[in-house]
Amino acid sequence: MSRAELLSPEGLRIDGRRPAELRKITSTTCVLSQADGSAYLEHGNTKVLAAVYGPREARHRALVLHDRAILNVELNVAPFSSGERRRRSKNDKRLLEMASFVKQTFEPVVIATLYPRSQIDIYLQVIQHDGGTLQACINATTLALIDAGIAMTDYVCACTAGWIEREAAIDLNYIEESSDTSEVTIAMLPKSSKITLTQMESRLHVDKLEEVFRLAGEGCKQMYEVMDKTIRDRAEDLARKMTV
Amino acid sequence: MPSLISPSERDYILKGIECNIRADGRQRPDYREVILETGVISQTSGSARVRLAGGTDVLVSVKADIGPVLVDPETGEGADKGQIICNVECAPSASQQFEGRGADELNNELTQMMTRFLSHNTTTLSTPSSTTPSSTGASNNNGAGGINLSKLCIIPGEQCWILYVDALVLDYGGNLVDAVFMGTRAAIFDTRIPKTEVQDLGDGNFDFEVLDDAEDTEVVEGREDMPICITLNKIGARHIVDASPLEELCTEAKLVVAVNRSGELCGLQKGQDGGIEPSLLLEMIQFGKTLGQTLIKQLDAKIKAEADADIIKRQNGQPVVKLGFFAQ
């Protein structure tokens, strides 16, 4: 791929954003009828649907933990999600890896000891892919878990940041992601500012790491505002309906 | 997707249907509200989302790709035809039973049904130039699926357009087949294929160029003749349409009727273990046909109204906003 100019002389990015600007985020909860909790989230053109089932009886008795619930994450990518049509098998290594990242992110946050001998299933469906799939998956999962009423210590907000040419930038899109920029995804608990996941692709100079981390952390805080608003609006809406 | 139903609940549904009143207040021949939107996924050639009020949610995308033609080695047919490749997938978000490999059987069943109803040409075809001696005087050369596959061919014997139809079931609320086919029809309606220019290089060699002008596109010919499916569920001595998940559990026999806008029967499929009396079968087919035609008319009107509104917005330079998943 020819190196397109990712940062214009005026300091604007390829889609016209400033380096520390997130894409438009829209989200809603309770979109599915069968699931106990569900959420749909858009980061620009990246679209993810999350469904949560449970806590319920574990499907395989061998996996049961007697003091806590187990988390099970499954990630599917729609065949039409990216530019080229491609069917991914359920055992695609990359998908399994991403599912396990989501699982690891949520294990310390979900208060699993409240639901012993049970299982919580999280199904993620990527409908459209335009960079930042992991962050979108984590954010959608947070909303779906809250919608399902599962006890958590805090929100989990994820955001990516990277180093584009001469500046740190957040929320990279597909073009920026695929032109060999270094990219860090972090997931943060906004109340305590603790980080539950970091993942980095490609290389980055250690001096620049701090700046990238700081920016990603700010992105997470912004994400938190948006997600919290979605949840509060939803709760208010429900409360209003109950009073009528 | 519940898998069990209690005897009392079954009794309630059965007696209700006998009295022509269903659990959600509908009568036997009533369809639920259908929410339909086209052009919801930007990087596809065409897409649609169908939602039946109270559940079922299907997202269908069509992608046009260039590939080699598929020639039948025995008959030599297919050299001048494009292809339609169908795929239906049920996401685990729709039902807990679809987890892992749980949906494989259903996926396969729906994929095969779609392939059969859309792209399979069992009828003898007549090509306008009548190059094949076997051609008879059949008036419709598009087969049961309606789509004119010959128009999808770019260079006969070499390259053609392949339409990949991918349906993704996101939520389950009964009557999956109807929703999948409605979505597919709408997505094909929304599909725009780039125009191609074929150059004759001489010596029987051809080359082609895809025009990448966004305005210079073609619609899929024969899209108006695509069928939709109506599923009729036989419960007791009666039959209903657009069954809810619980009603599906009480169903003895299920009949899928594929019908196009002119009321021609394009496919039939009987499902589940119960039997249907021949007289009732004919009545059900007749009913499915009439309802299908009405539904097609309404869907077409809706799609057309939406497309017109989009064009006006584009001309005025306004952004075309799609509700996508925010349409409840």
Side-chain angles (χ1 to χ4, degrees):
Chain A
M1 190 184 166
S2 64
R3 272 194 72 109
E5 193 164 292
L6 294 177
L7 205 63
S8 73
E10 295 82 35
L12 291 177
R13 285 153 71 179
I14 205 152
D15 49 6
R17 281 184 290 155
R18 296 185 183 287
E21 195 175 296
L22 290 170
R23 285 176 283 179
K24 187 185 179 207
I25 302 153
T26 32
S27 58
T28 176
T29 57
C30 208
V31 284
L32 301 174
S33 65
Q34 299 290 313
D36 295 311
S38 57
Y40 170 74
L41 184 116
E42 285 181 8
H43 268 254
N45 277 328
T46 301
K47 297 173 184 170
V48 177
L49 187 70
V52 170
Y53 285 90
R56 61 184 181 193
E57 199 179 336
R59 284 172 101 76
H60 303 290
R61 193 155 286 183
L63 297 175
V64 170
L65 296 177
H66 286 274
D67 59 337
R68 54 194 296 150
I70 48 169
L71 281 183
N72 170 40
V73 180
E74 209 178 281
L75 180 77
N76 282 312
V77 175
F80 46 78
S81 64
S82 52
E84 297 265 301
R85 182 186 180 273
R86 178 167 48 164
R87 276 195 73 187
R88 286 178 189 256
S89 84
K90 289 241 162 84
N91 296 321
D92 190 309
K93 293 257 165 37
R94 217 170 136 61
L95 295 189
L96 290 177
E97 187 201 22
M98 202 136 54
S100 97
F101 281 148
V102 176
K103 186 178 162 179
Q104 284 164 25
T105 310
F106 282 92
E107 254 164 1
V109 188
V110 172
I111 310 173
T113 45
L114 287 178
Y115 318 105
R117 288 182 292 282
S118 55
Q119 172 175 351
I120 297 167
D121 289 300
I122 299 164
Y123 301 125
L124 291 158
Q125 179 77 48
V126 178
I127 292 164
Q128 199 168 337
H129 172 79
D130 185 29
T133 312
L134 181 60
Q135 58 163 351
C137 284
I138 291 173
N139 293 332
T141 307
T142 305
L143 293 176
L145 282 169
I146 294 172
D147 187 41
I150 287 169
M152 298 202 293
T153 50
D154 201 350
Y155 283 68
V156 184
C157 303
C159 188
T160 57
W163 195 268
I164 300 174
E165 287 176 18
R166 53 186 187 274
E167 248 185 290
I170 54 170
D171 196 12
L172 308 184
N173 66 22
Y174 184 73
I175 300 169
E176 292 167 337
E177 220 175 51
S178 52
S179 30
D180 198 33
T181 35
S182 45
E183 185 189 10
V184 184
T185 304
I186 68 167
M188 194 189 236
L189 309 182
K191 270 188 214 151
S192 56
S193 294
K194 273 187 190 154
I195 286 172
T196 59
L197 169 108
T198 47
Q199 188 229 356
M200 191 169 108
E201 274 170 33
S202 181
R203 64 198 146 78
L204 178 69
H205 196 280
V206 75
D207 293 348
K208 294 167 181 167
L209 189 67
E210 203 185 323
E211 170 68 7
V212 168
F213 253 78
R214 190 188 59 78
L215 218 56
E218 265 170 33
C220 290
K221 295 243 162 75
Q222 286 181 43
M223 273 312 305
Y224 168 69
E225 307 271 311
V226 176
M227 287 156 70
D228 192 49
K229 186 168 184 312
T230 306
I231 294 294
R232 280 179 197 280
D233 284 355
R234 176 81 198 154
E236 262 172 34
D237 189 42
L238 277 177
R240 204 168 36 242
K241 276 180 185 155
M242 276 166 75
T243 53
V244 174
Chain B
M1 188 178 178
S3 51
L4 285 170
I5 184 165
S6 68
S8 47
E9 198 153 11
R10 180 192 295 270
D11 191 53
Y12 178 75
I13 290 174
L14 234 78
K15 284 188 175 141
I17 284 170
E18 196 55 49
C19 307
N20 201 10
I21 179 97
R22 289 155 72 176
D24 47 8
R26 284 183 287 161
Q27 295 188 329
R28 282 195 298 262
D30 289 352
Y31 225 84
R32 278 177 284 188
E33 187 189 6
V34 180
I35 301 168
L36 175 74
E37 194 176 38
T38 52
V40 283
I41 312 165
S42 52
Q43 80 278 51
T44 56
S45 313
S47 61
R49 174 173 177 257
V50 170
R51 198 179 164 103
L52 299 176
T56 307
D57 195 336
V58 183
L59 192 61
V60 187
S61 93
V62 177
K63 254 190 173 149
D65 239 337
I66 293 170
V69 292
L70 191 72
V71 183
D72 193 326
E74 278 171 26
T75 56
E77 271 180 35
D80 56 348
K81 288 204 182 75
Q83 296 169 50
I84 299 179
I85 293 174
C86 306
N87 176 44
V88 184
E89 236 174 89
C90 297
S93 63
S95 162
Q96 28 190 307
Q97 283 149 11
F98 296 159
E99 185 201 15
R101 306 224 156 271
D104 281 8
E105 208 175 304
L106 185 63
N107 286 347
N108 193 31
E109 192 187 313
L110 288 170
T111 304
Q112 288 306 320
M113 193 191 271
M114 196 142 118
T115 310
R116 217 168 44 234
F117 287 176
L118 289 192
S119 62
H120 204 71
N121 288 329
T122 41
T123 48
T124 342
L125 303 178
S126 71
T127 42
S129 53
S130 70
T131 44
T132 44
S134 65
S135 63
T136 53
S139 60
N140 178 10
N141 72 337
N142 300 341
I147 296 169
N148 190 342
L149 294 177
S150 313
K151 278 273 160 156
L152 294 176
C153 185
I154 302 168
I155 303 173
E158 285 179 39
Q159 301 279 304
C160 67
W161 284 108
I162 304 176
L163 294 183
Y164 290 98
V165 182
D166 287 291
L168 186 64
V169 177
L170 295 169
D171 199 0
Y172 184 86
N175 204 15
L176 208 54
V177 181
D178 293 15
V180 167
F181 274 84
M182 263 190 265
T184 307
R185 192 170 191 277
I188 298 255
F189 249 82
D190 185 45
T191 302
R192 298 288 180 276
I193 302 172
K195 279 191 181 147
T196 48
E197 230 165 44
V198 181
Q199 292 168 327
D200 196 342
L201 302 176
D203 303 334
N205 288 327
F206 292 96
D207 196 13
F208 70 93
E209 206 180 318
V210 178
L211 304 174
D212 54 357
D213 184 4
E215 299 291 311
D216 232 358
T217 51
E218 282 172 332
V219 297
V220 181
E221 188 165 311
R223 55 182 190 163
E224 296 87 4
D225 290 318
M226 277 182 69
I228 62 163
C229 284
I230 300 289
T231 309
L232 296 126
N233 297 58
K234 180 176 176 271
I235 300 178
R238 311 283 184 167
H239 58 84
I240 57 162
V241 292
D242 194 16
S244 69
L246 285 177
E247 285 167 342
E248 281 185 348
L249 285 175
C250 304
T251 300
E252 293 160 38
K254 174 171 106 164
L255 186 72
V256 181
V257 183
V259 57
N260 65 12
R261 63 169 174 167
S262 42
E264 286 169 322
L265 210 57
C266 303
L268 265 184
Q269 168 102 30
K270 146 118 195 353
Q272 244 124 323
D273 41 6
I276 308 175
E277 302 80 14
S279 59
L280 184 66
L281 184 74
L282 287 176
E283 189 194 313
M284 282 164 84
I285 294 173
Q286 192 60 40
F287 181 77
K289 196 197 95 176
T290 329
L291 184 74
Q293 268 186 290
T294 336
L295 201 59
I296 285 182
K297 218 172 269 169
Q298 287 169 354
L299 291 175
D300 282 1
K302 167 78 185 83
I303 294 170
K304 198 172 173 303
E306 201 192 344
D308 289 348
D310 284 357
I311 288 172
I312 290 171
K313 271 191 189 162
R314 285 213 181 88
Q315 280 170 350
N316 296 343
Q318 291 167 332
V320 178
V321 183
K322 293 290 174 184
L323 285 167
F325 280 82
F326 301 102
Q328 286 295 322

